[in-house]
Amino acid sequence: MLALHFVKNGLLESKHIKTYSDLLNGRQLSDYEDFFFQDKESYEAYLEKTLDFIQGIKKLIPS
């Protein structure tokens, strides 16, 4: 739905869909798997992408 309503209409970059999907998948794994390990390099890569995603979302919020 995010892609349909925001990317298709040009409001959000398509790279953010991949970031959102990866983060959601990681959350589900950590919630439902017995063990979930995130190494420092992966964490740092997701942190950068997440901060970029947040900036993209902030642009959609009217001031």
Side-chain angles (χ1 to χ4, degrees):
M1 295 301 261
L2 192 64
L4 177 66
H5 295 289
F6 293 95
V7 175
K8 185 176 178 184
N9 293 326
L11 300 172
L12 194 61
E13 294 178 55
S14 60
K15 67 181 181 180
H16 295 310
I17 298 303
K18 171 102 171 84
T19 299
Y20 181 77
S21 178
D22 289 346
L23 292 170
L24 183 60
N25 187 43
R27 180 186 176 265
Q28 290 174 337
L29 285 173
S30 67
D31 282 352
Y32 299 109
E33 295 293 324
D34 292 334
F35 298 98
F36 180 76
F37 177 76
Q38 186 80 33
D39 62 7
K40 184 177 179 180
E41 291 79 21
S42 296
Y43 167 78
E44 289 172 348
Y46 279 117
L47 178 60
E48 227 175 273
K49 290 177 184 179
T50 301
L51 293 174
D52 188 40
F53 176 75
I54 290 169
Q55 290 306 312
I57 296 297
K58 282 184 175 181
K59 291 177 186 176
L60 299 175
I61 301 171
S63 301

